[in-house]
Amino acid sequence: MSWYPGAERMELQPESDAQPAIVPTQFILHSIAAEWSPRRIYEYWRDSTNLESHFGLGYDGAIAQFIGTQTRADANAAANRRSDGTGAVSIETESNNQHTDPWTDQQIEQLVALGVWLHREHGIPLRICRSADDPGYGYHGLFRSWSTSGTACPGDARIEQFRTVVFPSIVAHANGAPDPTTPTPPPPPEPAGPARYRVTIGGQEYGYGAHGPQVRQVGEALVTAGYGQHYTVGPNEDWTDADTENYAAWQQSLGYSGGDADGIPGEQSLRRLLGGALPGEQTLIDLDQVIAAARRDPGLDQGATTYPDAVRPVEAALAAEGLLDAQWAGDGSFGTRTVAAYAAWQRSLGYRGTAADGIPGRASLDQLGARHGFTVR
């Protein structure tokens, strides 16, 4: 498989190894209809869906590659892989929610550079595709069969740029004009205010304007974790700028930055905040796995885990009880701090001596689960 040297490699698995090979004959450009950096796009493909593109491109020209260009990606419907083994290389580009904005200068430079590389690496011919199967360059809405139900992607402004700027520049540079260079991203602009868009995770909406009990659950979890400083009267069932600002602080505590810490949840950060389970999901915990983790994890290297999916809901519950510092809740390791916190939980139930050694038993874990929304099996 081929990896573009101008992109940061963020390889998706198992797609990268499991999906069939293609002979690339087309390059198809998309807008993702979200103000997402390449890192955020990668997390979306990884955590939320089995559909993906080969590349992601941010407003500032940052570009990442998720799958080798000789492996199928699933963003182009009938163009993904044809019966003769040929297929399309695809790129998702950051845009506003309605994909009505034009590409930035930095995005155009990167699209041209990548288009030239694909011509040289795979021999994609320098023409706009004349049919859905014709080798060449195109955009998602060019042919109906490239999507499952037709699409306006990447939007009228970008389609005009593709025809008048991007594709002519690819041809010019591929035919001898100086190679386009990767732009040096400018410093990120000062934010104009909290992010104001919504995402859907697990069938529930989050972000500015979202409404429902899932919003209150997130707000209460933020307060419990120590990230409720922007609330004055909340949290409640309406997502406001205060929720966004508090969630951004939570994302930053996990090491996210830039557009990945804009205060709008991604699935990974949301699961960590809520202890592994999304609103509406039934959380089942295997008692034997939790016990094994409590016995083994304290002796492992810092951060190592045995059964992290079983441990995270227990950590979140202990944090909600005020027995475990929020920074240790969600890492999935039943280490010494979690053992000490669980021992405190056992003592709160009246256990003493070896019955309060921090190793869960069914009765104490059942009681913890009954208070915090998980079931022990």
Side-chain angles (χ1 to χ4, degrees):
M1 63 180 71
S2 294
W3 294 88
Y4 175 46
E8 181 180 358
R9 183 165 171 170
M10 300 181 189
E11 189 169 2
L12 284 169
Q13 290 292 358
E15 290 86 353
S16 184
D17 291 337
Q19 297 192 151
I22 61 169
V23 176
T25 60
Q26 296 171 327
F27 181 35
I28 300 177
L29 284 61
H30 300 246
S31 291
I32 199 166
E35 295 181 354
W36 287 356
S37 67
R39 170 66 61 178
R40 187 63 171 271
I41 295 171
Y42 163 76
E43 291 178 351
Y44 178 71
W45 296 144
R46 183 192 64 192
D47 299 337
S48 301
T49 180
N50 60 358
L51 300 176
E52 71 288 315
S53 286
H54 291 90
F55 294 91
L57 175 63
Y59 280 138
D60 61 0
I63 186 170
Q65 184 172 357
F66 311 130
I67 292 179
T69 53
Q70 291 169 295
T71 299
R72 185 193 74 193
D74 296 324
N76 307 298
N80 293 331
R81 186 176 188 268
R82 290 174 279 270
S83 59
D84 62 359
T86 63
V89 175
S90 53
I91 186 168
E92 295 287 349
T93 59
E94 184 174 9
S95 68
N96 64 26
N97 291 357
Q98 296 76 38
H99 54 66
T100 56
D101 55 342
W103 283 309
T104 66
D105 291 343
Q106 291 84 4
Q107 286 178 309
I108 289 174
E109 288 189 53
Q110 285 285 25
L111 290 170
V112 172
L114 178 57
V116 171
W117 180 81
L118 289 168
H119 168 69
R120 294 173 177 169
E121 180 76 6
H122 299 303
I124 296 178
L126 298 172
R127 64 173 181 251
I128 296 176
C129 298
R130 299 165 296 186
S131 69
D133 295 340
D134 184 47
Y137 294 74
Y139 51 86
H140 196 198
L142 185 58
F143 296 105
R144 186 176 181 85
S145 64
W146 286 357
S147 68
T148 56
S149 58
T151 178
C153 171
D156 291 343
R158 296 183 178 196
I159 291 171
E160 178 67 17
Q161 288 176 306
F162 172 83
R163 292 187 175 276
T164 61
V165 180
V166 175
F167 180 69
S169 297
I170 291 172
V171 175
H173 288 295
N175 284 332
D179 279 346
T181 57
T182 302
T184 300
E190 289 296 321
R196 288 189 167 180
Y197 66 95
R198 294 193 295 276
V199 296
T200 300
I201 303 173
Q204 304 281 353
E205 282 196 331
Y206 304 90
Y208 189 80
H211 173 81
Q214 80 281 5
V215 175
R216 182 186 296 275
Q217 184 176 350
V218 170
E220 291 173 346
L222 288 168
V223 171
T224 298
Y227 298 97
Q229 60 268 34
H230 293 284
Y231 290 129
T232 56
V233 295
N236 55 42
E237 294 192 356
D238 293 307
W239 190 291
T240 67
D241 288 340
D243 295 278
T244 301
E245 291 171 327
N246 287 330
Y247 202 92
W250 165 249
Q251 290 168 321
Q252 291 163 10
S253 77
L254 300 179
Y256 296 110
S257 62
D260 298 325
D262 64 358
I264 305 301
E267 183 171 350
Q268 184 180 39
S269 63
L270 187 61
R271 286 189 182 277
R272 290 194 65 176
L273 177 67
L274 301 179
L278 299 178
E281 289 184 338
Q282 182 183 13
T283 303
L284 297 176
I285 293 181
D286 188 304
L287 175 63
D288 291 339
Q289 290 182 350
V290 175
I291 292 173
R295 296 188 185 281
R296 184 170 183 266
D297 288 356
L300 300 178
D301 293 337
Q302 177 66 37
T305 63
T306 302
Y307 293 108
D309 290 340
V311 170
R312 288 191 184 100
V314 179
E315 291 178 310
L318 292 171
E321 293 289 333
L323 302 174
L324 180 66
D325 193 292
Q327 68 174 309
W328 307 114
D331 65 1
S333 174
F334 210 117
T336 54
R337 292 179 178 85
T338 308
V339 169
Y342 200 89
W345 167 249
Q346 291 168 320
R347 289 193 297 273
S348 75
L349 300 177
Y351 295 105
R352 296 292 183 268
T354 57
D357 60 359
I359 306 300
R362 175 168 292 278
S364 62
L365 196 57
D366 277 340
Q367 289 179 269
L368 188 63
R371 288 171 60 94
H372 297 283
F374 61 82
T375 302
V376 183
R377 62 183 179 187

